[in-house]
Each structure stands twice: as C-alpha cells, then as structure tokens.
Amino acid sequence: GLSYASALAALPALTIVGAVLYLLLLAATISDKCGRIPALISAVDFGQETNAARQEVVHYIISSAAGFYVFGIRLTVAMVLKFAYGWCVVAVGVVSRVLTM
C-alpha cells in the first residue's frame, strides 16, 4: 500500500505540478484578456475625426492575435482546464491502481 513516507516523498513533485498549472492558468488569463482589448478600444469615443484611425488600430490588434503561445497554439483558459482535467483523470487512475495492489 501507500505509506506516509512515500506520500511525503511525492509532495515536492506535486508542488511543482501545481505551480506549473497555476502559471499556465495566469498566462491563459492574459491571453483571454488580450482578446477583449479590441472591443474596449472600439467602445471608447475619441471624437469623430479619429474613427478611421481607431478602426485601423482595432484591426491591427485583432490581426496580431496577442497572447501566450505554446508550440504555436494560443493558450486559453479552456485549454488549461482541459489539460488539468486530463491529468487529474490519469492521476486518479494511477493512484487507484497503486492503492489496490
């Protein structure tokens, strides 16, 4: 079975995994916030003479697709949550196998 010493030995690894997931979640949150910037700029009124320039800035921000990328894929909160869910399923399976041995 699983002893107290072996559970204590796994604590540093679990801490690192938790920290990495937290950092990924922070980066994904920033990516999601970058997606809302064009709507914010469109909503602000700078006067009639700046409408064309504002639209050009909005189109530039949309086409630049700012955010955090991992292996060429834009990181989103939904992606990080799906990743964490998948690894939780794997961890539950492994722990249940170890406890039944």
Side-chain angles (χ1 to χ4, degrees):
L2 194 62
S3 69
Y4 177 75
S6 60
L8 193 60
L11 192 59
L14 292 175
T15 303
I16 291 172
V17 168
V20 168
L21 282 174
Y22 179 71
L23 290 175
L24 282 173
L25 192 60
L26 285 178
T29 302
I30 292 172
S31 290
D32 286 348
K33 286 181 181 180
C34 287
R36 291 184 289 213
I37 295 294
L40 175 68
I41 292 175
S42 289
V44 176
D45 186 22
F46 296 108
Q48 189 63 26
E49 62 275 356
T50 60
N51 278 342
R54 181 179 59 194
Q55 283 305 99
E56 288 177 14
V57 170
V58 167
H59 287 296
Y60 175 75
I61 292 171
I62 290 171
S63 65
S64 69
F68 282 94
Y69 287 81
V70 177
F71 298 116
I73 299 172
R74 190 165 188 254
L75 193 62
T76 63
V77 172
M79 232 182 242
V80 173
L81 292 177
K82 287 177 187 176
F83 177 77
Y85 177 77
W87 278 107
C88 284
V89 168
V90 169
V92 166
V94 169
V95 167
S96 69
R97 278 285 210 193
V98 168
L99 291 177
T100 59
M101 291 181 147

